[in-house]
Each structure stands twice: as structure tokens, then as C-alpha cells.
């Protein structure tokens, strides 16, 4: 061990020669411990059903054997005989007339289609809570944060279904200083399209927790189709199996244990 | 600047301070700009440093003949590794994931739309690597990830020595300052062992996110469109 003291510096070394204290190197210490419970509702993303229409003319899927009736011009030779001076003379004469005719025929009708997807509108949202003032009006240098999350409502979005949350729910976890709460990716390429985070930080002498959510506009890969033949009218209902548009609202309560720290000079 | 070592036998208080401000002895919090060491301060000690390289197993979508639909991923959640500390309390901690101080629930792997995240779970006896995998259309191959978790503890006084100096050991204020303990100190130059931060370490915009860790690493996931720059952490050594 060695102890060194001069007018402007004091330091200590242990028996291995390692410096364990030095007035030239400030040391961190905890000036405040804060606990808090914060509940948050990550809002639903704006979503609507997008319906696309199109028609297949004279679709084979909409064919039917039908009796088709109408006037037709019917022509043919008719034997016409005349008595001229006691002599009967006959000849074939070409004659035409209109006749009402019915036939069984395959008729091809138009087929109407709809396709429905979920269309999400882009949105940015944030909510900030003041947890406490930093004690003594001090300017904090750092935070150490443990958190425990309880999910009270699990959101659901198109394509991915129930939203995954990678936090160990109901257990303490390291939460320095931002945590990703939920992230939903575009299943076509894996790029995130909706992300929710929690940040614990110091600003303006206050300890704050901020929740942020961001999503861009998005059209689901999941889609549902339905068709109908004009024979039966065009009032095509929503495709079978399509669920109500999921907006993804999730609710959490976070229990926070925060150590507020500062360095000596 | 002059520095004064003050030791009070009756209370066991030990202070190293700027003598131009005597009040630093009696009220250190209000005079922190003149305090180099004060036994009344609640210093951050290192209780343990736990390290492990974890093999996160391959996660498959269930077989080539039964490809999962988008709405039916193959989710896996739970601990993949547990490290024992037996401190008896839930410590505050800083975690390095492959040398980066990543936020909880950061994706450590993504293939197509499939992904794997980790968070560091804490109990009174253990630290656990908590994995969440959602396997959609692409399998996730096994990966090795190195974890280093620094657990903190308050430095509590013990014994009765106000000032004890021998060739082998220096003890002040009942062990608050002790050459047999590890203290954390700020690093002005060189490579810190870890970083402390008071600011946000991630942001979201345009549906995606950017991470700026306290140790200065930036991870931006397309199509993040914000301008988050993070806040530099304070590097320290142990």
C-alpha cells in the first residue's frame, strides 16, 4: 500500500500497485434513490379497412345454363298450290316470318371481386411524466435504473398478431436508460414499422420517464378476398374470416427503482 | 488547488476537500464542488462483474413443410443463461452485450422478419439472460453473444477505524475508503471500463429506432428518420 499526499493531490495504491483512489479522478456516488409506479397506455394506431373492387367480365365461374328466349326470323320453303281452271298447280315458295323461340344455353355473367386489407396511418406519440426533482437542485451526472413491467393489455396488429414484448414481465430488469418495450416489423423485409420505447432521464433538474411510439403508414400483407356473380347482384359482403381491424393498443405499468448519481469533483 | 485530509475520531468522518470551503465537511451535498472524498457520501461500489459467452440456440419456424403463417410465428421467451451473484438484494447494474451497453429488449439478431431480443433480468441471487425470439418466415441460426454485467453495491462502513495506515493497508472512516476495495473513478483519458449516463439512449421515428449507447455506439434501423444524437456517457474505470 502507498499513500501519497501533496498540496494538490492525494492518492492511494493497494499492495498490487493499483490506484484505488485519486483526487484527480472523481468518484461516483448516489445522491438520491427514487421509486415510482407509472402506468402508460400506448395508443391504438389509426387503422381502416381498405377495399379494392374489380370485375371479371363474362367469368366462367359465373356461368349458368339458362333458357334464352326471343323472336327469331324463321325462313323456309312452303308448298303453295293454286287451282287454276280446274288444274291444281303447286310450287315451293321461300317465305320468312318472326317466331318466338326458347333455347337452353350457357350464359357467362360478370364476376365482382373485393379484396380487403388493413391500412394504418402514420403517427408519432409521446407522453412524459415528472417523477421527482433532483435533490437539492443538484445537476445529476447519471442514473442507474431497474424496472419491472406489468402488461395489463396486450395489443395486436395485422400480420404479426399479438405484439411481442421482450421484457421479462413481472421481473426486475436493467433499464438504463432507454428500454424498447415493443417493436413490430414489416414481415416483408423485417424493417420496424411500429416501435415503442421507455426512457428514464434527467432534464432541467427533474427525473423524468418518457414513453414514445412511432409508426409509419402501413398496409398489411394479410388480405381477405370475396367474390360474387352479377347473376346474384353486386352486394358483396366482407370476406369471411376477416377480423376487426386491430389497432395495437397496449397498456403497461412500470415499477421503477432509480439511483441518481453524481461525481465528486 | 489545495486539498485537505480531515479525520474526525469521534464520528469516524473522513473528508478530503478544498479547505477554502470549510462547510464541505459538515454539509457535503451542498458543497459538492469542493469535495474530493467524504465518508458521508453514498459511493458506488462494484459488487461483482459477471461474464459469460452465451450460445443462443437456433430457432426454427417448425419445419419446411409447415411454414408458419405471418400471424402464427414460433415464439420463444425465457431465460437462456443464469449467472449467480447471491448478493441477497436486487442490485443496480450495467450490462454490456457484445461490448455495447444496449437498451433492454434490443434485437441482437434479425433475419428477414424473424428476430431475437435480449433483456437482463435481475433477482436477489441471479442475473439472467432473457431471450425473446419470434420466428416468422426465416429461421434464426444459433449465435454466440458475450455478456458482461457489472453489479453495483453501496460501500458500507464496517469496523471501528477512523484512520488506519499500515504498510499493507489504508483504511479511513470505518472502511469507506479502503485499499482492499474496488472504487469507481472517472477516466479523463484512456479506455474506460464502463460508462454512466443520465440521458436517453434510444429514440423512435418513422416507425423505427436509433440507439446511441452511453459508450458511443450508434445503431440505426432503417427507416428511422430522426436526428437523435444521444448524450455522451461518463467513462469510468474500476
Amino acid at each position: 500500500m502507498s499513500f501519497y499526499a501533496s498540496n494538490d493531490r492525494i492518492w492511494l495504491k493497494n499492495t498490487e500497485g493499483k490506484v484505488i483512489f485519486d483526487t484527480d479522478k472523481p468518484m461516483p456516488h448516489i445522491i438520491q434513490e427514487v421509486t415510482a409506479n407509472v402506468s402508460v397506455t400506448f395508443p391504438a394506431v389509426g387503422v381502416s379497412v381498405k377495399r379494392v373492387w374489380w370485375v371479371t367480365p363474362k367469368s366462367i365461374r359465373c356461368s349458368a345454363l339458362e333458357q334464352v328466349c326471343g323472336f327469331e326470323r324463321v325462313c323456309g320453303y312452303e308448298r303453295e298450290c293454286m287451282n287454276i281452271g280446274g288444274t291444281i298447280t303447286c310450287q315451293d315458295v321461300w317465305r320468312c316470318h318472326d317466331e318466338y323461340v326458347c333455347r337452353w344455353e350457357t350464359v357467362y355473367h360478370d364476376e365482382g371481386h373485393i379484396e380487403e386489407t388493413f391500412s394504418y396511418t402514420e403517427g408519432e406519440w409521446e407522453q412524459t411524466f415528472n417523477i421527482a426533482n433532483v435533490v437539492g437542485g443538484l445537476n445529476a451526472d447519471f442514473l442507474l435504473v431497474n424496472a419491472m413491467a406489468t402488461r395489463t393489455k396486450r395489443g395486436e396488429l395485422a400480420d404479426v398478431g399479438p405484439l411481442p414484448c421482450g421484457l421479462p414481465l413481472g421481473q426486475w430488469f436493467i433499464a438504463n436508460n432507454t428500454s424498447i418495450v415493443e417493436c413490430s416489423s414489416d414481415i416483408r423485409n423485417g424493417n420496424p414499422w411500429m416501435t415503442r420505447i421507455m426512457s428514464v432521464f434527467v432534464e432541467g433538474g427533474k427525473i423524468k420517464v418518457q414513453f414514445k411510439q412511432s409508426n409509419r403508414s402501413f398496409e398489411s400483407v394479410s388480405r381477405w378476398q370475396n367474390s360474387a356473380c352479377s347473376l346474384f347482384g353486386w352486394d358483396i359482403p366482407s370476406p369471411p374470416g376477416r377480423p376487426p381491424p386491430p389497432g395495437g393498443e397496449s397498456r403497461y405499468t412500470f415499477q421503477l427503482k432509480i439511483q441518481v448519481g453524481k461525481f465528486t469533483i | 488547488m489545495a486539498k485537505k485530509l480531515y479525520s474526525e475520531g469521534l464520528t469516524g468522518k473522513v473528508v478530503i476537500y478544498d479547505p477554502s470551503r470549510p462547510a464541505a465537511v459538515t454539509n457535503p451535498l451542498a458543497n459538492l464542488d469542493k469535495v474530493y472524498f467524504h465518508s458521508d457520501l453514498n459511493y458506488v461500489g462494484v459488487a461483482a462483474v459477471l461474464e459469460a459467452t452465451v450460445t443462443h440456440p437456433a430457432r426454427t419456424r417448425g419445419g419446411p413443410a409447415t411454414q408458419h403463417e405471418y400471424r402464427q410465428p414460433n415464439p420463444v421467451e425465457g431465460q437462456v443463461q443464469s449467472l449467480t451473484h447471491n448478493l441477497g438484494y436486487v442490485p443496480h447494474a450495467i450490462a454490456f452485450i457484445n461490448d455495447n451497453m444496449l437498451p433492454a429488449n434490443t434485437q441482437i439478431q434479425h433475419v428477414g422478419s424473424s428476430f431475437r431480443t435480449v433483456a437482463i433480468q435481475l433477482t436477489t441471487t441471479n442475473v439472467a439472460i432473457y431471450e425473446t425470439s419470434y420466428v416468422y418466415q426465416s429461421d434464426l441460426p444459433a449465435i454466440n453473444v458475450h455478456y458482461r454485467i457489472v453489479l453495483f453495491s453501496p460501500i458500507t462502513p464496517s469496523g471501528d477505524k477512523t484512520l488506519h495506515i499500515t504498510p499493507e493497508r489504508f483504511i479511513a472512516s470505518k472502511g469507506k475508503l479502503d485499499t482492499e476495495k474496488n472504487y469507481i473513478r472517472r477516466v479523463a483519458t484512456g479506455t474506460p471500463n464502463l460508462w454512466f449516463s443520465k440521458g436517453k439512449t434510444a429514440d423512435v421515428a418513422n416507425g423505427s429506432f436509433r440507439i446511441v449507447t452511453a459508450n458511443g455506439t450508434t445503431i440505426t434501423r432503417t427507416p428511422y428518420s430522426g436526428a437523435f444524437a444521444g448524450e455522451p456517457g461518463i467513462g469510468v474505470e474500476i
Side-chain angles (χ1 to χ4, degrees), chain B residues 109-226:
Chain B
Q109 185 183 28
H110 56 93
V111 181
S113 55
S114 303
F115 63 86
R116 187 189 324 247
T117 70
V118 291
I120 308 301
Q121 184 182 333
L122 302 160
T123 71
T124 57
T125 57
N126 289 75
V127 170
I129 314 299
Y130 188 90
E131 175 189 315
T132 299
S133 297
Y134 268 64
V135 186
Y136 291 97
Q137 300 295 74
S138 304
D139 293 342
L140 293 173
I143 53 166
N144 290 328
V145 178
H146 184 74
Y147 296 89
R148 180 162 63 94
I149 299 142
V150 181
L151 307 179
F152 301 114
S153 68
I155 295 173
T156 51
S158 62
D160 57 359
K161 295 180 174 65
T162 297
L163 198 58
H164 170 88
I165 304 175
T166 68
E168 293 78 30
R169 193 171 181 185
F170 180 101
I171 300 174
S173 191
K174 302 174 182 175
K176 269 246 171 168
L177 189 55
D178 185 339
T179 51
E180 291 196 352
K181 291 178 179 173
N182 270 326
Y183 294 86
I184 300 173
R185 300 172 305 278
R186 187 170 190 160
V187 175
T189 58
T191 305
N193 297 117
L194 55 98
W195 287 259
F196 285 119
S197 172
K198 65 176 178 181
K200 302 171 190 173
T201 50
D203 181 47
V204 293
N206 198 32
S208 191
F209 58 88
R210 172 180 288 168
I211 295 167
V212 181
T213 67
N215 59 316
T217 300
T218 298
I219 299 169
T220 304
R221 283 294 300 275
T222 302
Y224 175 78
S225 61

